[in-house]
Amino acid sequence: MLRPISSMLVLLALGIVIVAPTAGCGSKKRTLTVAQQIDKARKLPAAEARAAGLAKIASTRADSKDKKGAEETLGEALAEVPEDGQPLICVPLLLQIADTYIGIGQKTTARKAVEMAAKMASTVEDPKGRAAMLSQVGVVLGSRETGLGDSRGAKKLLDEAAKLATEDVSERFRADALVPVATGYADAGLASDAATMVVTLEELADGLTDLRPKAEAFAAAAAVRAALGEKEAAAALLEKAGAAAKKISDFPANRVYALVAVAKALVANGDRKAALSLLTDAEKSAAKVPDAELQKAAMQTVRVFMAKLQKK
């Protein structure tokens, strides 16, 4: 299922963990029952935290084929999301809720969550951030495979995001702002719009001197080309993306995330072997990140993606 921003990242941002085992001194670890997990989530102090906790439980219940239980918990989670909450937290949370609703076949209620996310995304003041969030909502709204299949609604949001990125974002950050828009068009099945946008993205990437955004822009363009079935064009862009990423030497974390972006695009173009090779390189770079917390986050990003690829 589509995960614009992982549920675990939302939970970590809120500083909560819902399903951790409990244990006393010398006792065996005990996992909380679903009812206990729900009760624990309901007692969290912030509405966003309660909603995130309940959404996580609902997703787990859906994965366990407990459709009725998932639907009940999702309804409770959706009701907890504050209309005036922080978009950075609430938009991905609403999309997570919508994603789980879609997974259990409840698209009508999923649309309600998506509409709430779109309304909240439109309140973000920073043009770059607003464009990114509108793009995320557009993907869930438009994707026929993992979303609601509403290409008209998705196009409206993505067009707004494209306008923001091209007109209101400074030239220095424009390519970065267009990355989620271009991939959004492709993920929503809007091939013509994606093809137009990717040309602009490629031109901007060529002009960038900062290596991480250059690598990420080329990687995003390659992923879009791959989605359009243009494997040779994607491969050429991946060469440029990989070259830029490997040149990064000043900040190890930048090198890690640039390599991960290229690896994801390689997977999109059907080359898992090359992607795994890049991730091995990224893992070595992650070990060199000086800050302990940043190193942990970088390492987790690499290893989670690597494990996902190795399972296939």
Side-chain angles (χ1 to χ4, degrees), residues 69-210:
E71 189 173 354
E72 289 175 355
T73 313
L74 280 171
E76 199 171 338
L78 185 58
E80 287 284 2
V81 180
E83 291 185 5
D84 59 348
Q86 299 178 44
L88 182 64
I89 295 295
C90 292
V91 170
L93 177 54
L94 284 164
L95 295 180
Q96 177 197 342
I97 290 170
D99 184 46
T100 307
Y101 267 126
I102 291 167
I104 60 173
Q106 298 294 325
K107 290 193 172 184
T108 300
T109 318
R111 180 176 287 275
K112 179 181 177 182
V114 171
E115 288 173 351
M116 287 176 64
K119 183 178 179 181
M120 197 170 288
S122 67
T123 67
V124 176
E125 293 184 7
D126 172 50
K128 183 172 174 288
R130 196 187 327 157
M133 287 199 176
L134 288 170
S135 298
Q136 292 168 12
V137 180
V139 170
V140 180
L141 190 60
S143 176
R144 294 187 180 279
E145 293 185 4
T146 57
L148 295 173
D150 181 0
S151 58
R152 181 178 296 181
K155 179 173 170 55
K156 182 178 179 181
L157 289 178
L158 287 161
D159 284 350
E160 183 181 347
K163 188 173 187 294
L164 281 166
T166 54
E167 296 181 7
D168 296 344
V169 176
S170 67
E171 188 173 351
R172 180 184 177 188
F173 300 107
R174 194 166 297 155
D176 194 29
L178 283 174
V179 165
V181 182
T183 54
Y185 276 128
D187 290 344
L190 298 164
S192 177
D193 297 283
T196 301
M197 187 57 61
V198 77
V199 172
T200 302
L201 183 58
E202 289 168 15
E203 291 173 350
L204 288 169
D206 273 323
L208 290 173
T209 56
D210 290 345

Side-chain angles (χ1 to χ4, degrees), residues 1 37 97-98 116 129 148 179 223-224 240 263 269 284 300 304:
M1 298 286 307
Q37 293 171 36
I97 290 170
M116 287 176 64
L148 295 173
V179 165
V224 173
K240 293 182 178 181
N269 206 38
K284 292 176 182 177
Q300 183 177 22
V304 167

